[in-house]
Amino acid sequence: MNAYKPLTGTRIIDLTRALAGPFCTALLADLGAEVIKVEPIGTGDATRLWPPYEDTNSLYFESTNRNKRSVCLDLRSDQGKEVLVSLIGEADVLVENFRPGVLAKMGLDSEKLKQAYPNLVIQSISGFGNTGPLKNYGGLDQIAQAMSGIMSVTGPDAEHTYRVGLPIVDILTGTFAAVSIAAALAGRNEHQKGVHMATSLLESAVAVSVFQGQQALSLGHEPKPQGNDHPVIVPYGQYQTEDDKIIIAIAKNQHWLDLCEILGRPDLPKKPEYLDPTSRAKNREKLRVEMEAALIQHPASHWVDRIRNAGIPCGPVYGYRKVFSDPQVQALEMVQTLHRSDGTKIPLVRGPFNIDGQPTRVSSAPPALGEGTEEILAQFGFTKPAVEDLISNGIAQTQEQGKSSD
């Protein structure tokens, strides 16, 4: 267990649901923050009902809600909102991903919150940002992938474009929101002042356009998808061996020369069509045929070992079941097994952080709905009779009540 985590002592009230917000707060919890997930009475975070399932547990929900506690409140009631304000008043950060304006309709206008709690950091996540003609519309990952150009450069060719196989924009937005919160906390320490930060799915997706977007801006070129090949560097992509596919990434000329020796084709660099990077890019398919004629003579493991040992970046193409059995992934302790509140085991992927040479740990399994309601309210100063009153009046919900309503 890490002795030090930089966000230890930081309290976060998490009003988010789905993926971008929960991914953000999971990262912050990995770094030591106390994350209190406030969920609506009844079903809680909607992703608790999303497949895939293990028994009745949503693995979608559990994949991004490690290291958190759950309190269940009726946020449509005045009393429930008062309880929420009490929680916010003792927090360092409030994270929400409602549509712009919804927080204000709940009586939690950011300006009022900043006046009441000047040190509070507020992080908002939306679909399209806080200004412009689409600001009041809901946005989802695939819509942002489509509108930002990500889908236009993903797929085998220009006629067949694909979404990325993971909700990559949600993940990026959650990551950027976590960076934003960390920056705001650092600034608050310097200036003793909170701030309202915001990002959106569309902003995040456009921001990562890098050289693909830059060539559209600077050259007026419309980038095209190149399947599993690098769009501008050749050879750099997926190649077939005797059994499986592998990735070979040639970024330096010496690597190109060394690769040709390994393949038993020292003649390739001498051919006019492969003399330089531009020539290789123009003749990428012809080069693929020549490389794969050599690669199919041996299995993937043979080539990966030889190519890696020559200092050339190379690796296998895995499905997720193989990912988790890879020796390097296991050495990094990326998977850690915990117990849910019902005693069942759940393997979880940890956050991608190391502190002083040690990987961060998953300290607790994703919470059951309302699992921490009584404990959290007591922690925030509510007496036992007051908590019992909130529960009996339907303002708060416990884990046991959540089970009985299933």
Side-chain angles (χ1 to χ4, degrees):
M1 184 69 68
N2 297 103
Y4 168 76
K5 290 185 177 180
L7 292 181
T8 297
T10 301
R11 178 177 288 162
I12 297 174
I13 302 300
D14 180 4
L15 295 179
T16 68
R17 64 266 192 243
L19 192 58
F23 190 83
C24 163
T25 52
L27 293 176
L28 298 171
D30 291 333
L31 295 171
E34 175 192 3
V35 176
I36 297 174
K37 186 176 181 70
V38 181
E39 301 185 72
I41 280 180
T43 59
D45 185 329
T47 61
R48 287 184 181 274
L49 302 178
W50 292 5
Y53 302 107
E54 181 184 18
D55 296 327
T56 59
N57 298 298
S58 166
L59 300 178
Y60 198 111
F61 172 86
E62 291 186 323
S63 69
T64 57
N65 284 285
R66 62 188 177 271
N67 297 337
K68 304 177 187 179
R69 294 190 291 160
S70 168
V71 59
C72 208
L73 298 173
D74 178 8
L75 297 181
R76 295 183 178 182
S77 68
D78 289 340
Q79 195 173 1
K81 292 173 186 175
E82 289 175 4
V83 174
L84 175 59
V85 170
S86 297
L87 303 186
I88 293 172
E90 295 189 42
D92 299 286
V93 182
L94 171 66
V95 190
E96 59 92 12
N97 63 348
F98 300 115
R99 296 184 190 187
V102 170
L103 202 64
K105 289 180 181 178
M106 293 173 61
L108 299 171
D109 178 85
S110 62
E111 288 304 316
K112 291 181 179 178
L113 286 175
K114 286 167 65 178
Q115 289 176 9
Y117 311 111
N119 288 329
L120 180 68
V121 171
I122 303 171
Q123 175 68 54
S124 295
I125 300 170
S126 63
F128 298 104
N130 55 15
T131 188
L134 298 181
K135 69 177 183 178
N136 293 321
Y137 289 82
L140 297 172
D141 174 272
Q142 191 164 348
I143 295 169
Q145 286 197 39
M147 287 185 64
S148 65
I150 289 176
M151 283 180 60
S152 77
V153 294
T154 307
D157 53 55
E159 285 70 46
H160 303 87
T161 58
Y162 299 154
R163 66 179 287 276
V164 178
L166 291 167
I168 192 66
V169 177
D170 279 334
I171 294 166
L172 287 168
T173 304
T175 303
F176 292 155
V179 171
S180 181
I181 290 168
L185 289 171
R188 187 186 70 168
N189 291 340
E190 180 69 22
H191 303 290
Q192 298 300 305
K193 180 182 178 183
V195 66
H196 186 182
M197 308 291 286
T199 191
S200 68
L201 301 184
L202 185 59
E203 288 170 282
S204 298
V206 173
V208 297
S209 61
V210 290
F211 65 89
Q212 296 284 46
Q214 195 62 50
Q215 64 176 314
L217 285 172
S218 298
L219 304 176
H221 292 173
E222 191 67 66
K224 298 291 190 292
Q226 296 291 341
N228 287 316
D229 287 336
H230 193 285
V232 295
I233 303 173
V234 179
Y236 192 134
Q238 178 175 276
Y239 298 90
Q240 182 66 54
T241 69
E242 183 182 51
D243 52 3
D244 296 319
K245 297 179 175 66
I246 62 173
I247 302 297
I248 302 173
I250 301 297
K252 298 193 296 187
N253 190 61
Q254 187 58 53
H255 284 170
W256 162 238
L257 298 176
D258 292 342
L259 176 65
C260 292
E261 291 287 342
I262 293 170
L263 296 179
R265 292 297 308 273
D267 59 306
L268 290 179
K270 301 171 186 176
K271 291 190 174 187
E273 58 267 47
Y274 310 138
L275 279 177
D276 53 53
T278 301
S279 300
R280 293 196 292 273
K282 289 180 179 178
N283 296 284
R284 69 168 70 224
E285 289 309 317
K286 183 178 180 181
L287 178 57
R288 175 185 301 282
V289 172
E290 300 214 55
M291 288 176 58
E292 289 187 340
L295 289 166
I296 60 173
Q297 302 301 314
H298 298 284
S301 58
H302 168 88
W303 292 115
V304 169
D305 288 344
R306 290 198 65 194
I307 295 170
R308 276 181 177 168
N309 289 335
I312 300 169
C314 179
V317 179
Y318 284 154
Y320 272 109
R321 291 177 67 182
K322 283 190 175 180
V323 169
F324 297 124
S325 63
D326 182 87
Q328 181 61 32
V329 174
Q330 293 181 342
L332 292 170
E333 300 180 58
M334 289 303 301
V335 178
Q336 299 172 13
T337 300
L338 288 90
H339 290 84
R340 301 182 181 96
S341 59
D342 63 4
T344 58
K345 289 183 179 180
I346 177 171
L348 292 168
V349 177
R350 69 171 176 85
F353 307 113
N354 281 263
I355 301 174
D356 292 333
Q358 296 296 317
T360 53
R361 311 302 301 179
V362 182
S363 59
S364 62
L369 179 61
E371 182 179 332
T373 294
E374 294 172 285
E375 179 186 17
I376 290 168
L377 293 178
Q379 177 186 348
F380 279 77
F382 289 84
T383 63
K384 185 174 182 179
V387 172
E388 291 173 348
D389 186 59
L390 289 170
I391 293 170
S392 64
N393 289 330
I395 304 301
Q397 179 180 295
T398 65
Q399 178 181 356
E400 290 304 315
Q401 290 175 311
K403 288 179 181 178
S404 64
S405 65
D406 289 344

